[in-house]
Amino acid sequence: MKILVVVPAYNEEKNILEVSKNLEKLKTISKYSIDYIVINDGSTDNTKLVCERNNIPVINLIRNLGIGGAVQTGYKYALKKDYDIVIQFDGDGQHDYHYIDNLITEIGENKYSMVIGSRYIGGLSNFQSTKMRRVGIKFLSNILFLTTGKRIYDVTSGFRAIDKKVIELFSQDYPNDYPEPETIALILKKGYTVKEIPVKMHERLNGSSSITPLKSIYYMIKVSYSIIVRSIIESRNK
Amino acid sequence: MSLNLKFSLILLLIVSIYIIFKTIKAKKLSMKFGLYWTIIFILMLILILFPNIIETCASLLGFKEAPNMLFLIAIFLLFYLVFSVYANISKINENNKNIIQDISILEYDLKKEKGRKK
């Protein structure tokens, strides 16, 4: 079983070395054989330099694509190199590498197609995000429940694993911005299985989130719209 | 319609069609989109030459005033054109994204291959 950890990174010069060290550690302790690759999304800081100096495997996008395009590059690379499972793992240090094995097990042994690492179940995570953001996530979780009938709590989590079928699907079709909740709707409507498991998340090491308060209203509308539209158009496909 | 107005409008349309041809020649507009606009201008030309067509159509369709019909048609037509431009931009963005991804992956593979040979 070939496993690839995809690390999207945009201006993460301060975090990427730490993240890669953790993943190197994981390679030695994991019961699975794991590779990882950083997708440098046209960073304007020294992310590229830091990666190359430290021999971190990195695909440097020749132009900035945004989070969706960057993650999808990882999926395309995985498809090309015949990987069986891909883990999406943030380059800002929010995600805890100790839980990667748990994600893999749910796919490898329990045959789920997508596994989501969740802050909101199991009580492992001290970091739960701000009050406002939690309300927003709850709202999106409800919309997803209404349109697909499946309750996922941490719909915006970017800590997730997918199997080969979904790698193929995502290589063809992946949203450009705010992809996480929409892709859950896509997967469920296509008839794949999704499981949410508890993980620990930290506050980001350095830098700030890409979603500013000003953008958050647009974010809510756009994500709600895309979940609803996905659940309509994808069910018609069947 | 006064003869002067008619003449000015026809001149305006001929200039517009000339601009379209010039833009096509400079390879800044594709034949396909040139065709759209040319057809629209030719239709306008016909309506200027035979304004009775508008009056007849409007009364047949039940419009109180002929200009109402014209505005409605114009708005729908422009709406359609803008929508098709949006659709085209989306397609171009998608293609552009795929090209960037493919080149970046190829570049990485190439670099890895070089490293192995050394």
Side-chain angles (χ1 to χ4, degrees), chain B residues 38-89:
Chain B
T38 307
I39 286 174
I40 288 169
F41 287 139
I42 287 174
L43 285 177
M44 283 161 102
L45 202 65
I46 292 170
L47 293 180
I48 289 164
L49 291 173
F50 310 102
N52 288 341
I53 298 173
I54 305 168
E55 299 287 344
T56 319
C57 280
S59 68
L60 273 176
L61 289 169
F63 284 93
K64 267 190 187 148
E65 306 275 349
N68 290 349
M69 184 188 74
L70 277 187
F71 281 125
L72 194 74
I73 291 173
I75 289 169
F76 270 115
L77 206 64
L78 289 177
F79 186 84
Y80 169 75
L81 279 173
V82 172
F83 184 80
S84 75
V85 169
Y86 269 68
N88 257 294
I89 292 174

Side-chain angles (χ1 to χ4, degrees), chain A residues 4-8 67 71 75 86-90 95 103 157-162 174 179-180:
Chain A
L4 181 70
V5 178
V6 169
V7 186
I67 180 68
V71 171
Y75 294 144
V86 170
I87 321 283
Q88 187 191 328
F89 190 80
D90 278 3
H95 299 157
L103 292 179
S157 168
F159 190 13
R160 42 176 58 188
I162 56 173
Y174 202 74
E180 282 83 11

Side-chain angles (χ1 to χ4, degrees), chain A residues 5-16:
Chain A
V5 178
V6 169
V7 186
Y10 178 69
N11 289 351
E12 301 286 4
E13 59 178 7
K14 290 183 181 131
N15 300 321
I16 200 68

Side-chain angles (χ1 to χ4, degrees), chain A residues 125-141:
Chain A
S125 206
N126 309 321
F127 171 64
Q128 302 253 312
S129 202
T130 60
K131 179 94 204 265
M132 268 308 283
R133 202 167 288 184
R134 282 211 303 278
V135 172
I137 291 170
K138 186 84 201 278
F139 179 79
L140 294 175
S141 170

Side-chain angles (χ1 to χ4, degrees), chain A residues 15-169:
Chain A
N15 300 321
I16 200 68
L17 187 58
E18 177 77 22
V19 171
S20 102
K21 276 180 183 163
N22 284 338
L23 290 173
E24 289 292 343
K25 235 181 279 169
L26 173 74
K27 282 171 84 166
T28 61
I29 59 169
S30 173
K31 55 179 171 175
Y32 302 102
S33 86
I34 294 175
D35 296 324
Y36 72 97
I37 191 150
V38 173
I39 313 290
N40 173 23
D41 187 11
S43 296
T44 51
D45 68 354
N46 288 321
T47 303
K48 183 178 174 181
L49 206 68
V50 172
C51 287
E52 280 165 2
R53 276 204 187 134
N54 294 286
N55 279 324
I56 298 169
V58 59
I59 294 177
N60 292 298
L61 293 181
I62 55 172
R63 292 285 186 283
N64 175 265
L65 283 180
I67 180 68
V71 171
Q72 192 186 34
T73 307
Y75 294 144
K76 283 187 175 174
Y77 179 74
L79 188 68
K80 197 176 172 186
K81 301 291 167 184
D82 208 30
Y83 281 95
D84 300 295
I85 294 174
V86 170
I87 321 283
Q88 187 191 328
F89 190 80
D90 278 3
D92 62 7
Q94 270 193 298
H95 299 157
D96 191 321
Y97 69 97
H98 292 100
Y99 294 88
I100 289 180
D101 269 20
N102 294 0
L103 292 179
I104 297 168
T105 305
E106 293 297 337
I107 290 180
E109 281 160 37
N110 301 334
K111 305 295 171 202
Y112 284 96
S113 290
M114 176 190 256
V115 185
I116 298 164
S118 173
R119 273 167 289 190
Y120 300 131
I121 58 173
L124 286 169
S125 206
N126 309 321
F127 171 64
Q128 302 253 312
S129 202
T130 60
K131 179 94 204 265
M132 268 308 283
R133 202 167 288 184
R134 282 211 303 278
V135 172
I137 291 170
K138 186 84 201 278
F139 179 79
L140 294 175
S141 170
N142 286 337
I143 287 189
L144 192 74
F145 180 69
L146 285 173
T147 52
T148 66
K150 171 101 181 156
R151 174 62 73 183
I152 303 286
Y153 293 95
D154 202 349
V155 286
T156 61
S157 168
F159 190 13
R160 42 176 58 188
I162 56 173
D163 73 357
K164 199 158 195 171
K165 283 258 165 62
V166 182
I167 295 173
E168 274 169 39
L169 178 65

Side-chain angles (χ1 to χ4, degrees), chain A residues 52 69 72 76-77 80, chain B residues 97-98 101 109 111-112:
Chain A
E52 280 165 2
Q72 192 186 34
K76 283 187 175 174
Y77 179 74
K80 197 176 172 186
Chain B
K97 181 190 79 178
N98 285 329
Q101 290 174 327
D109 279 343
K111 209 188 250 173
K112 224 169 55 176

